[in-house]
Amino acid sequence: MTTPVRRHRGGAVQDRPVGWARNPLTEFDQLLSEMSGLIESTVGGAAPAVAWTPLADVTESDDAFHIEIDLPGVKSKDIDVQANGPELVVTGEIKEKERKGVLRRSTRRTGAFEYRLRLPGEVDTEKVNAQMSDGVLTITVPKAEVAKPRHVEISETSESTGSSG
């Protein structure tokens, strides 16, 4: 079976198969955003605002979970981070800039955003740390003492080969 390829308007074949190196969730998110914009334009902005989810990476080390959320152009005062047990909720809003002239195209996200994450295991919500640098919000959620892995040493015991009679 051959893999489908996408042709450009001039009939030239694109060298990558359709869907290659793409994230289908990103495309779905873009489609949802475009549909939301279409509804807003037809209804006149009366549609309820739906919070969008920013892109993020979550990594785990032996002692903590590390979350990096892309929020370019957002000030730390416009972000709210809440840790409630194993759930982390980051909310905020990117306000539309006032522009002069006619806006021909806009692909930047604006409006309310919300990022929710349920962390596995026990975490120490009292020691959660959040820092904003270069448009990336970095949150460190330490693991609770009981949840941290502990290395157990194995001791050698010499077996006595005593004779039994």
Side-chain angles (χ1 to χ4, degrees):
M1 184 168 118
T2 60
T3 43
V5 292
R6 180 170 289 168
R7 297 189 179 273
H8 293 290
R9 286 200 173 153
V13 176
Q14 186 179 5
D15 34 345
R16 291 183 296 186
V18 174
W20 179 259
R22 286 190 185 166
N23 184 348
L25 294 177
T26 303
E27 290 180 3
F28 181 73
D29 197 34
Q30 288 174 334
L31 179 64
L32 213 74
S33 175
E34 290 174 14
M35 288 173 38
S36 176
L38 181 63
I39 290 171
E40 281 184 28
S41 66
T42 56
V43 179
V50 177
W52 56 274
T53 303
L55 301 175
D57 290 334
V58 180
T59 56
E60 179 180 0
S61 63
D62 287 341
D63 59 344
F65 294 97
H66 307 279
I67 301 98
E68 293 180 338
I69 305 173
D70 289 344
L71 295 169
V74 180
K75 294 180 173 69
S76 58
K77 65 180 176 104
D78 296 331
I79 302 170
D80 182 44
V81 178
Q82 293 184 4
N84 185 11
E87 187 175 38
L88 180 73
V89 180
V90 179
T91 56
E93 183 175 3
I94 299 178
K95 296 182 173 82
E96 181 75 33
K97 292 182 180 178
E98 199 168 311
R99 303 178 190 274
K100 294 181 181 175
V102 178
L103 179 63
R104 298 288 181 183
R105 181 174 172 92
S106 177
T107 56
R108 291 181 174 175
R109 293 273 184 153
T110 58
F113 63 85
E114 179 181 74
Y115 181 81
R116 288 184 171 270
L117 176 65
R118 189 161 197 71
L119 297 167
E122 297 293 320
V123 293
D124 188 355
T125 57
E126 296 297 318
K127 296 180 182 173
V128 174
N129 181 16
Q131 295 179 343
M132 186 73 163
S133 177
D134 297 329
V136 178
L137 176 64
T138 304
I139 303 170
T140 303
V141 183
K143 292 181 180 177
E145 289 296 323
V146 291
K148 288 184 185 177
R150 192 178 126 236
H151 181 72
V152 178
E153 291 290 327
I154 302 172
S155 59
E156 291 280 334
T157 57
S158 60
E159 292 184 30
S160 59
T161 55
S163 60
S164 59

